[in-house]
Amino acid sequence: MSMRNAVIYQIYPKSFYDSTGSGTGDLRGIIEKVPYITSLGVDMVWFNPFFISPQNDNGYDIADYYNIDPTMGSMADVEELIAALTAEGVGVMFDMVLNHVSIEHEWFQRALAGEQEYQDFFYLRPLQEDGSLPTNWESKFGGKSWSQFGETDLYYLHLYDTTQADLNWHNPRVRQELFKVVNFWADKGVRGFRFDVLNVIGKDTILHDAAPGENDKLLYTDTERVHPWVQELNRETFGSLEGAITVGEMSSTTIKSSVRYTNPANRELDMVFSFHHLKVDYVDGQKWSDTPFRFMELKQLLTDWAVGIQAGGGWQASFFNNHDQPRALNRFGDAGTYRVQSAQMLAAATHLTRGTPYIYMGEEIGMTDPVYESMDDYVDIESHNAYKILCNEGIHPADAFKIITKKSRDNSRTPMQWTSGANAGFTSGKPWLRPTSHDEINVEAEEREGQILPFYRRLVQLRHDMPLIAEGTYEPFAREHESVYAFVREHEGQRLLVLNNFYGTETSLKIPVDFATGSVLLSNYGQTELGETLTLAPYQTLAILASEKTA
């Protein structure tokens, strides 16, 4: 397996399968579902964190990197899970949260107790001379990014929740302790590492206010300091690990930076997650807004990143879904009339492009955002904070709630829908987050007579079987078309044209003669007659191999 022909499946453990009736997914539940996971044909499974945590940010506030949250299981369960997947030829990817720790972590508690050695693990600063906070930066979860450090006159930096204290990577001891964490899990058989918000580790030693009108994120995101630290991480941990696959979550990054992160010559990471294409339904860059997605902007971003990363010899993750995003079907497809077709189209756009495709649990059966009635249905702290902020800004509560229904992270965190029975077959107890669409959408139904799950399995197999898809170059096609995202893949004389109609109406376009006389590799509709002018059905995806005589 290489990262180029690999397909990675993401599991949010809290929502995958509950084996105990507690209402929360657990490791034994995942072990029970190993046969389903392997049936997908995927090469590696990325697990969101299940370490000891107070769960203020659903496990991303880690209090102990070396032990398992008892609600999820035990170390023995983790070892059994790794062994079970490895025996099936499926690798294991862990989520490494190395930018911050929970304030319940031993390091922070020892710092609070007055141990200078551990106080140097964090960004602790006094108020400015005018009594204002050390900087005017905003937390990514809303509110200020500084809180008082115990009963002292110092304040600690938390770019995320108040209970997540940022670690000071300038301190060599911090870096060594984090490298120990990665190596501990590598010794357990983990071969994949997803590094959470890795490009915000590069804060300066002297922190400054953002100037009026300046984006404070630019002061600490994607700075030059990140690269040597990631190179050190590579050298000290996974760099010599056979079969390792790494991906960095890169907030607000650039093509240029991402090339540096992923060009093999730099010895940093294998690939990056970037999120610009998932902000095309923001108003003026603001997530908490409600507007239709801008297709031409989406298309431009997908194209620019594919072309730019390729030109620099880098690599990227290909995805529309994950645990922090609303379901792509609701954002970019039609979750009603054309749910099946738009799910298939989005899958093909993800899997047939240049990059390593990721499948987020549930997308392979066409799961959609839940239908909730009030804020009481939501658990996510970011969503509740955003609702309060929106209301405080004068937005009517009903309108604020509508925005939450469109953008909440809980949209993707509802339990995996296994059956049409009670609680979607996820738990015999009360689920921590309520599923709402399982009567129609569930694994059991897809396995019996579905069209989405078999389509995903076909896409996974194509990447394994065809170097053209795994290794081929990317060239944009029909860039000005207002409803079709298209590209050409080429490898050793073979060419593949991929057409994706992002709308629920028919549309036509002209294609070159070598494709017009070629053969259909994949379609989500019945037989398609090829010709120099093609008409695509609503949400149709069509992959055409060029004829050999003209290729």
Side-chain angles (χ1 to χ4, degrees):
M1 174 184 64
S2 76
M3 67 173 181
R4 298 197 174 210
N5 67 4
V7 179
I8 299 176
Y9 187 69
Q10 182 189 355
I11 287 178
Y12 195 69
K14 192 173 182 179
S15 297
F16 197 61
Y17 186 63
D18 170 22
S19 69
T20 66
S22 68
T24 299
D26 50 58
L27 297 175
R28 296 230 59 86
I30 299 171
I31 292 169
E32 285 187 37
K33 296 297 184 180
V34 165
Y36 172 76
I37 296 167
T38 57
S39 79
L40 300 174
V42 296
D43 303 279
M44 183 169 275
V45 181
W46 157 28
F47 295 99
N48 293 95
F50 41 67
F51 310 114
I52 288 179
S53 164
Q55 296 293 323
N56 290 309
D57 187 24
N58 280 293
Y60 281 85
D61 48 325
I62 295 175
D64 186 343
Y65 289 106
Y66 296 101
N67 285 293
I68 308 307
D69 193 307
T71 64
M72 294 286 179
S74 66
M75 183 64 76
D77 292 330
V78 172
E79 292 168 347
E80 183 178 342
L81 176 59
I82 294 171
L85 287 169
T86 301
E88 297 290 341
V90 179
V92 173
M93 175 179 282
F94 271 16
D95 214 320
M96 296 283 100
V97 187
L98 307 185
N99 174 72
H100 47 260
V101 294
S102 167
I103 59 175
E104 293 186 17
H105 194 286
E106 178 189 5
W107 299 340
F108 194 84
Q109 290 299 309
R110 293 181 72 168
L112 275 177
E115 294 187 45
Q116 180 63 47
E117 178 184 4
Y118 287 95
Q119 289 184 356
D120 289 341
F121 272 43
F122 303 96
Y123 288 92
L124 304 181
R125 300 290 188 273
L127 296 175
Q128 299 190 53
E129 290 184 4
D130 62 1
S132 60
L133 291 171
T135 70
N136 59 359
W137 301 351
E138 291 292 317
S139 163
K140 290 174 179 282
F141 286 174
K144 302 303 180 184
S145 62
W146 295 90
S147 291
Q148 189 170 5
F149 181 64
E151 297 180 359
T152 72
D153 293 331
L154 300 174
Y155 289 73
Y156 67 93
L157 177 66
H158 51 81
L159 293 179
Y160 297 88
D161 187 55
T162 56
T163 65
Q164 294 167 294
D166 279 57
L167 290 164
N168 173 21
W169 272 65
H170 292 277
N171 183 343
R173 171 82 188 282
V174 168
R175 301 199 301 276
Q176 287 303 314
E177 288 296 326
L178 295 175
F179 300 159
K180 286 179 186 177
V181 170
V182 177
N183 287 328
F184 174 85
W185 290 110
D187 289 344
K188 292 282 187 182
V190 175
R191 289 297 176 267
F193 296 97
R194 181 261 190 188
F195 295 101
D196 185 62
V197 296
L198 189 61
N199 66 332
V200 302
I201 61 174
K203 277 87 72 174
D204 204 342
T205 51
I206 300 175
L207 307 179
H208 299 282
D209 276 344
E214 183 180 18
N215 185 346
D216 58 4
K217 295 180 178 63
L218 300 179
L219 298 177
Y220 58 76
T221 303
D222 248 5
T223 66
E224 283 297 316
R225 298 171 200 85
V226 177
H227 294 282
W229 286 341
V230 176
Q231 289 164 1
E232 185 182 6
L233 173 65
N234 181 312
R235 288 194 306 272
E236 297 294 323
T237 60
F238 57 80
S240 58
L241 191 62
E242 185 177 355
I245 293 181
T246 57
V247 56
E249 182 192 30
M250 301 299 180
S251 171
S252 302
T253 190
T254 65
I255 295 172
K256 182 179 178 181
S257 291
S258 295
V259 165
R260 290 180 64 188
Y261 290 129
T262 63
N263 186 306
N266 294 337
R267 298 184 180 274
E268 295 187 32
L269 301 170
D270 289 323
M271 69 190 95
V272 295
F273 285 118
S274 65
F275 300 93
H276 298 280
H277 67 296
L278 297 179
K279 298 178 181 179
V280 296
D281 55 356
Y282 290 14
V283 174
D284 296 329
Q286 297 301 310
K287 169 180 175 176
W288 299 104
S289 54
D290 181 15
T291 189
F293 82 100
R294 299 176 293 277
F295 171 69
M296 293 304 288
E297 183 180 338
L298 172 66
K299 178 174 169 175
Q300 188 72 45
L301 285 164
L302 293 173
T303 299
D304 288 350
W305 275 78
V307 170
I309 293 288
Q310 175 177 263
W315 197 253
Q316 63 178 334
S318 178
F319 70 105
F320 279 110
N321 291 280
N322 70 23
H323 64 288
D324 281 334
Q325 301 292 332
R327 292 282 180 180
L329 262 174
N330 291 79
R331 299 175 79 178
F332 308 119
D334 181 342
T337 305
Y338 293 106
R339 182 181 68 89
V340 171
Q341 293 81 4
S342 51
Q344 293 167 326
M345 182 276 293
L346 289 167
T350 300
H351 286 251
L352 297 181
T353 192
R354 183 181 186 272
T356 298
Y358 284 70
I359 302 170
Y360 177 68
M361 61 176 227
E363 74 169 87
E364 77 274 17
I365 61 168
M367 280 180 61
T368 57
D369 291 347
V371 179
Y372 287 159
E373 289 79 37
S374 76
M375 285 303 300
D376 291 339
D377 289 316
Y378 290 92
V379 174
D380 179 36
I381 187 172
E382 183 190 32
S383 299
H384 283 277
N385 288 346
Y387 178 75
K388 293 174 185 175
I389 291 170
L390 290 169
C391 291
N392 289 339
E393 290 175 348
I395 296 176
H396 190 279
D399 294 327
F401 178 71
K402 183 181 178 185
I403 291 171
I404 299 301
T405 66
K406 296 291 183 68
K407 297 294 175 62
S408 175
R409 298 188 300 180
D410 279 346
N411 287 347
S412 60
R413 297 175 180 184
T414 53
M416 183 72 173
Q417 294 168 191
W418 296 102
T419 72
S420 60
N423 302 321
F426 163 71
T427 179
S428 60
K430 180 182 178 181
W432 76 277
L433 195 61
R434 183 167 60 89
T436 64
S437 62
H438 51 288
D439 286 355
E440 176 187 1
I441 306 169
N442 58 76
V443 172
E444 191 174 71
E446 275 293 317
E447 292 280 22
R448 185 175 60 250
E449 56 188 5
Q451 301 175 61
I452 301 173
L453 184 55
F455 195 84
Y456 267 85
R457 287 175 171 146
R458 171 72 169 144
L459 286 167
V460 172
Q461 193 62 48
L462 284 173
R463 180 163 286 265
H464 291 163
D465 292 345
M466 297 184 67
L468 171 61
I469 293 172
E471 303 281 352
T473 59
Y474 173 103
E475 179 185 352
F477 180 79
R479 295 188 71 158
E480 304 307 315
H481 199 289
E482 294 185 353
S483 59
V484 175
Y485 169 55
F487 49 86
V488 174
R489 306 294 308 284
E490 183 169 2
H491 183 71
E492 295 182 350
Q494 271 194 311
R495 299 175 70 219
L496 179 71
L497 173 63
V498 181
L499 307 171
N500 301 289
N501 181 7
F502 268 73
Y503 288 93
T505 53
E506 287 188 349
T507 189
S508 298
L509 76 168
K510 292 183 180 299
I511 63 172
V513 65
D514 56 340
F515 292 111
T517 57
S519 59
V520 174
L521 175 68
L522 187 74
S523 174
N524 61 341
Y525 277 78
Q527 186 171 352
T528 300
E529 187 173 338
L530 299 181
E532 290 189 47
T533 298
L534 284 179
T535 297
L536 297 179
Y539 295 103
Q540 183 171 7
T541 186
L542 185 61
I544 307 168
L545 285 167
S547 56
E548 291 185 12
K549 63 180 180 180
T550 55

